[in-house]
């Protein structure tokens, strides 16, 4: 197995010669092999080239674990790089962390790893070769007569610039409030509930319904409009109050003539008992038109 | 048909005279068009009127001008604390020959033609006088010298100043109920009118001012007939009847109609009042207003226009609120018209 694996130790930055990769080939790319101290992480990368019919068996991959008392395997990443130049290629990254505390520079070995590749009918054993490196102590052991090593002072906390984040938060909050207000306005929630009360909208519906009956219910239609005027003014509006009403609600001014006719007709119906005269003054269909017009004015004013 | 035609002509003729009556009074009394209109309504409704207001706003001038424009016999008397009922009826003195003489007092002097009886400062007179007046107003008659005197055309105008409270007698509710209207006379608000009243010499001498009003625009003998014709000729529809009945109910139970007055417990505000007589006066006055506006039917505006003057003094409120009565009753009445639906 070791004979089939060709392993190369190459410094970082020297990985060009990949053309020679053959099928079922493992090439290990490793960092510098010296100058490590306790706690350092070492990332080994292995390029695996396999016969296209083979796939790495996921079950054979190593799990992150303590490998030795001084060595942890922290992470394993397998990247499928597809089929190229007649071989299926994988990249396997292995992250180790060393906790060995040497007294003097010492060579250590990360042991080999076994992998397996499988196809439908066969199974091929592969191996990531072992790799050795030199670890150094953090400080001298002998002749430590000088002053004791003291921990360096803590790094002063460095304030993080938050101005931009704050600005963004405020802008976001403002936008959210604006959005909530828009929704409230559209839905007629408090404090926009008054907007929702559109007396002429209701009146126009009632008038349409009343006029649509056969025969048209003229009195009900008139009453509906009266109630809408009352609700708009906040008090009862009589014919003689028309000027005051229009002064308070100038939006209705263009309809003055028709409103005056409405009040005349209403007087005929309710106080002179001359329904015929009223219908002549303002036929039921015109009443529906007037209601629609008043509703439109109300919507413009809202 | 002929009768109807005749009544229509009669009513429209008299409408012209009524409007001329108003304009004649308006020449003597500036800036009080609304008061003049109310007094005209009272005259054609054959109702007695109590005027109330500050000193010197022209109450007496107004009434003198009215009495002159109505025409007919006119008598006036000043209310004083020592005035007794008999002072209205007879006058006792010694004649030149030394013998006692009894002569007719202000009430009886003009006989049964008396058309306007004007009682100045009515609240200075004693309750005895008030009760005599009560009978005069209610029955248009008094008893004197063992017989009844009838005054079929009499209309009582009284005035009362509301500034002084000392040495005055509050009118009993029964007497107040007999007045068709209690009219508040305020100062004119128009600066132009105010300037004229102060600087125009025409307004300095009340006597000549009153004399400038054309006398006898209305014929007091015919007023009764016209008044009856107006009541017959102006109709009130069932809708209006229902409206007035709702108003009536709302005065009695304002809280049921959602009427609110600031700082007042509406449940206990109204003790009573708004008598059936008051309501019938209301409709009488409203009919006259409709007639003056050339309408043959009463509309809610007519009721509203006369409501305060006709009804305010008939609403009896809890004593706790009596002190602030004017404001509260005014607010109650405006709430009434803002809340009760018509039609």
């Amino acid at each position: 197995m070791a004979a089939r694996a060709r392993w190369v130790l190459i410094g970082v930055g020297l990985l060009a010669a990949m053309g020679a990769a053959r099928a079922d080939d493992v090439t290990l790319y490793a960092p510098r092999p010296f100058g490590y101290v306790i706690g350092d992480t070492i990332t080994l990368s292995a390029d695996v080239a396999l016969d296209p019919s083979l796939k790495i068996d996921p079950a054979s991959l190593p799990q992150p674990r303590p490998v030795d008392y001084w060595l942890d395997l922290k992470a394993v990443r397998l990247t499928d790089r597809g089929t190229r130049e007649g071989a299926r290629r994988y990249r396997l990254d292995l992250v180790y962390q060393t906790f060995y505390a040497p007294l003097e520079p010492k060579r250590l070995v990360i042991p080999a790893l076994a992998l397996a590749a499988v196809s439908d009918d066969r199974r091929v054993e592969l191996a990531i070769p072992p790799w050795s490196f030199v670890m150094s102590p953090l400080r001298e052991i002998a002749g430590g007569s000088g002053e004791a090593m003291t921990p360096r002072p803590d790094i002063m906390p460095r304030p993080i610039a938050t101005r931009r984040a704050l600005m963004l938060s405020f802008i976001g909050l403002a936008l959210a409030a604006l959005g909530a207000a828009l929704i409230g306005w559209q839905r007629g929630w408090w404090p926009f509930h008054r907007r929702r009360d559109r007396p002429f909208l209701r009146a126009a519906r009632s008038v349409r319904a009343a006029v649509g009956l056969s025969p048209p219910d003229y009195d009900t239609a008139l009453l509906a409009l009266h109630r809408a005027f009352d609700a708009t003014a906040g008090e009862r509006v009589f014919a003689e109050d028309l000027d005051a009403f229009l002064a308070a609600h100038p939006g209705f001014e263009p309809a003055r003539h028709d409103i005056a006719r409405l009040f005349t007709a209403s007087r005929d119906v309710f106080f002179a008992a001359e329904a015929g005269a009223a219908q002549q003054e303002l036929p039921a269909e015109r009443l529906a038109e007037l209601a629609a017009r008043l509703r439109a004015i109300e919507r413009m004013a809202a | 048909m002929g009768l109807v035609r005749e009544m229509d002509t009669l009513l429209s003729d008299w409408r012209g005279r009524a409007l001329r009556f108003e304009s004649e009074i308006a020449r003597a009394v500036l800036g009080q068009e609304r008061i003049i209109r109310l007094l005209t309504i009272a005259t054609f409704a054959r109702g007695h009127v109590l005027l109330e207001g500050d000193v010197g706003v022209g109450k007496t001038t107004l009434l003198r001008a009215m009495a002159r424009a109505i025409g007919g016999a006119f008598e006036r008397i000043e209310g004083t604390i020592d005035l007794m009922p008999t002072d209205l009826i007879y006058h006792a003195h010694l004649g030149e020959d030394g013998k006692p003489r009894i002569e007719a007092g202000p009430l009886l002097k003009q006989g049964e033609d008396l058309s306007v009886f004007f009682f100045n400062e009515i609240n200075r007179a004693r309750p005895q006088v008030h009760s005599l007046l009560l009978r005069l107003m209610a029955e248009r008659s008094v008893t004197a010298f063992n017989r009844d005197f009838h005054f079929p055309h009499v209309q009582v105008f009284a005035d009362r100043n509301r500034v002084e409270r000392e040495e005055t007698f509050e009118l009993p509710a029964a007497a107040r109920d007999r007045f068709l209207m209690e009219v508040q006379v305020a100062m004119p608000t128009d600066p132009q009118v105010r300037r004229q009243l102060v600087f125009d010499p025409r307004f300095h001498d009340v006597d000549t001012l009153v004399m400038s009003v054309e006398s006898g625009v209305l014929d007091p003998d015919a007023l009764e007939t016209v008044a009856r014709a107006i009541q017959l000729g102006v109709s009130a529809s069932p809708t209006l009847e229902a409206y007035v009945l709702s108003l009536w109910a709302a005065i009695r139970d304002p809280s049921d109609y959602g009427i609110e007055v600031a700082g007042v417990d509406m449940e206990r505000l109204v003790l009573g009042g708004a008598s059936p007589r008051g309501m019938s006066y209301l409709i009488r006055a409203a009919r006259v207003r409709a007639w003056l506006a050339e309408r043959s039917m009463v509309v809610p505006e007519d009721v509203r226009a006369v409501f305060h003057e006709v009804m305010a003094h008939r609403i009896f409120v809890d004593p706790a609120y009596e002190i602030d009565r004017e404001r509260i009753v005014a607010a109650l009445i405006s709430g009434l018209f803002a809340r009760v639906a018509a039609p």
Side-chain angles (χ1 to χ4, degrees):
Chain A
M1 206 164 83
R4 281 173 52 196
R6 191 180 69 120
W7 60 270
V8 186
L9 297 179
I10 306 175
V12 178
L14 286 181
L15 21 98
M18 297 262 297
R22 288 198 309 268
D24 304 350
D25 205 16
V26 174
T27 312
L28 183 69
Y29 298 97
R32 63 183 152 82
F34 53 83
Y36 292 94
V37 295
I38 185 169
D40 281 353
T41 58
I42 299 160
T43 303
L44 299 182
S45 295
D47 275 346
V48 182
L50 296 173
D51 186 88
S53 65
L54 290 169
K55 270 190 193 159
I56 283 190
D57 178 8
S60 70
L61 283 174
Q63 294 297 310
R65 67 194 149 97
V67 178
D68 208 336
Y69 71 94
W70 57 271
L71 186 68
D72 280 4
L73 177 55
K74 304 290 282 186
V76 178
R77 287 191 298 271
L78 181 68
T79 319
D80 190 343
R81 302 171 74 188
T83 305
R84 193 151 39 86
E85 292 174 14
R88 179 184 283 270
R89 289 168 195 276
Y90 293 94
R91 151 74 60 92
L92 180 65
D93 290 315
L94 300 163
V95 182
Y96 290 96
Q97 188 172 23
T98 169
F99 297 103
Y100 192 79
L103 298 179
E104 55 191 14
K106 180 175 171 68
R107 179 167 293 275
L108 294 168
V109 176
I110 293 176
L113 269 176
L115 286 179
V118 289
S119 72
D120 291 342
D121 51 355
R122 68 194 174 110
R123 182 180 177 88
V124 178
E125 299 294 326
L126 298 170
I128 308 293
W131 182 70
S132 72
F133 62 100
V134 177
M135 280 197 76
S136 308
L138 273 173
R139 61 183 182 114
E140 57 185 346
I141 300 295
S145 60
E147 70 267 33
M149 244 178 108
T150 49
R152 292 204 293 174
D154 289 339
I155 299 170
M156 291 301 288
R158 197 170 48 193
I160 302 168
T162 53
R163 191 191 184 83
R164 192 181 146 77
L166 270 176
M167 287 281 286
L168 286 174
S169 321
F170 280 127
I171 291 172
L173 275 175
L175 285 176
L178 185 70
L182 278 173
I183 292 173
W185 183 75
Q186 199 263 335
R187 292 290 184 91
W189 292 337
W190 192 91
F192 306 103
H193 57 293
R194 293 175 66 87
R195 178 185 160 273
R196 200 175 195 177
D197 189 33
R198 289 187 177 169
F200 282 108
L201 179 64
R202 270 181 282 135
R205 283 194 200 124
S206 320
V207 169
R208 213 167 37 230
V211 168
L213 295 175
S214 119
D217 189 349
Y218 196 73
D219 294 10
T220 308
L222 282 179
L223 283 178
L225 282 170
H226 274 301
R227 289 299 87 80
F229 276 108
D230 293 351
T232 306
E235 59 179 17
R236 304 292 165 188
V237 180
F238 300 148
E240 287 181 10
D241 305 331
L242 185 55
D243 284 336
F245 177 81
L246 290 175
H249 303 87
F252 292 95
E253 188 66 50
R256 173 190 278 273
H257 181 65
D258 286 337
I259 299 176
R261 281 175 64 187
L262 168 75
F263 277 106
T264 312
S266 161
R267 264 190 184 174
D268 286 344
V269 169
F270 292 111
F271 300 114
E274 287 175 11
Q279 302 249 16
Q280 221 161 18
E281 169 84 26
L282 194 64
E285 312 83 64
R286 291 294 316 272
L287 205 57
E289 286 168 28
L290 174 61
R293 185 165 173 210
L294 293 173
R295 186 195 59 195
I297 291 174
E298 178 184 64
R299 193 169 45 211
M300 295 287 284
Chain B
M1 205 55 205
L3 182 70
V4 172
R5 182 65 133 324
E6 210 169 277
M7 198 154 94
D8 280 353
T9 341
L10 174 80
L11 287 182
S12 63
D13 282 356
W14 272 85
R15 184 180 302 120
R17 288 172 83 163
L19 297 178
R20 194 150 64 86
F21 172 74
E22 286 189 334
S23 61
E24 279 299 321
I25 298 172
R27 274 158 26 104
V29 183
L30 292 190
Q32 303 285 19
E33 285 74 16
R34 186 180 133 74
I35 310 277
I36 294 172
R37 169 56 61 102
L38 286 167
L39 291 178
T40 310
I41 291 172
T43 305
F44 281 94
R46 305 309 300 141
H48 312 296
V49 178
L50 178 64
L51 285 190
E52 205 181 38
D54 288 344
V55 181
V57 290
K59 295 188 295 293
T60 314
T61 313
L62 173 59
L63 290 184
R64 284 178 64 188
M66 271 199 72
R68 187 171 162 81
I70 291 174
F74 160 73
E75 275 302 330
R76 67 179 276 181
I77 193 155
E78 308 299 319
T80 55
I81 191 151
D82 57 352
L83 184 77
M84 292 305 285
T86 48
D87 295 336
L88 295 178
I89 293 168
Y90 62 83
H91 176 55
H93 66 109
L94 288 176
E96 283 178 8
D97 51 5
K99 290 185 179 163
R101 294 271 168 79
I102 301 284
E103 283 177 11
L107 257 182
L108 301 185
K109 204 189 291 175
Q110 306 285 352
E112 308 204 330
D113 295 336
L114 184 64
S115 71
V116 174
F117 186 72
F118 172 21
F119 204 128
N120 210 1
E121 302 260 18
I122 191 172
N123 54 341
R124 291 195 176 282
R126 294 160 166 265
Q128 295 95 313
V129 180
H130 291 160
S131 62
L132 175 81
L133 209 61
L134 190 67
R135 171 146 182 223
L136 179 67
M137 287 196 291
E139 298 171 17
R140 297 205 151 95
S141 68
V142 292
T143 305
F145 311 123
N146 277 334
R147 59 167 280 222
D148 283 348
F149 290 84
H150 288 275
F151 306 96
H153 312 307
V154 77
Q155 188 180 5
V156 175
F157 289 113
D159 86 354
R160 175 172 69 169
N161 91 55
R162 63 167 172 208
V163 178
E164 277 169 307
R165 292 276 178 218
E166 281 175 22
E167 294 193 346
T168 61
F169 298 92
E170 200 46 58
L171 283 174
R176 292 178 77 178
D177 201 46
R178 265 146 182 112
F179 284 104
L180 170 70
M181 293 184 184
E182 262 193 41
V183 181
Q184 301 281 342
V185 185
M187 248 188 292
T189 45
D190 183 2
Q192 186 62 37
V193 169
R194 286 187 173 187
R195 188 177 312 155
Q196 234 177 316
L197 284 176
V198 176
F199 289 101
D200 190 336
R202 198 162 77 83
F203 296 101
H204 292 180
D205 184 350
V206 175
D207 288 332
T208 38
L209 184 64
V210 171
M211 290 312 279
S212 73
V213 173
E214 188 187 336
S215 174
V217 179
L218 307 180
D219 173 9
D221 291 342
L223 266 180
E224 206 68 38
T225 320
V226 177
R228 207 169 300 127
I230 293 169
Q231 296 303 318
L232 290 175
V234 179
S235 63
S237 72
T239 315
L240 187 99
E241 285 171 8
Y243 176 58
V244 172
L245 291 179
S246 322
L247 285 178
W248 197 6
I251 298 176
R252 292 289 190 138
D253 299 302
S255 47
D256 289 0
Y257 286 78
I259 299 167
E260 297 278 343
V261 178
V264 174
D265 175 5
M266 299 308 285
E267 288 290 342
R268 56 181 279 227
L269 172 65
V270 178
L271 287 187
S275 56
R277 175 167 47 212
M279 297 308 288
S280 79
Y281 277 168
L282 177 69
I283 298 307
R284 251 161 84 176
R287 280 202 165 110
V288 177
R289 184 177 184 271
W291 166 70
L292 284 173
E294 299 185 40
R295 258 182 282 111
S296 62
M297 78 283 195
V298 184
V299 296
E301 290 94 316
D302 296 324
V303 178
R304 184 175 60 180
V306 296
F307 194 91
H308 189 274
E309 277 70 22
V310 175
M311 295 307 293
H313 62 281
R314 299 179 209 275
I315 300 173
F316 300 112
V317 300
D318 190 285
Y321 299 116
E322 192 61 46
I323 192 94
D324 199 12
R325 178 194 167 85
E326 268 173 44
R327 180 188 72 84
I328 291 174
V329 171
L332 173 68
I333 290 175
S334 61
L336 210 61
F337 285 97
R339 285 296 189 159
V340 179

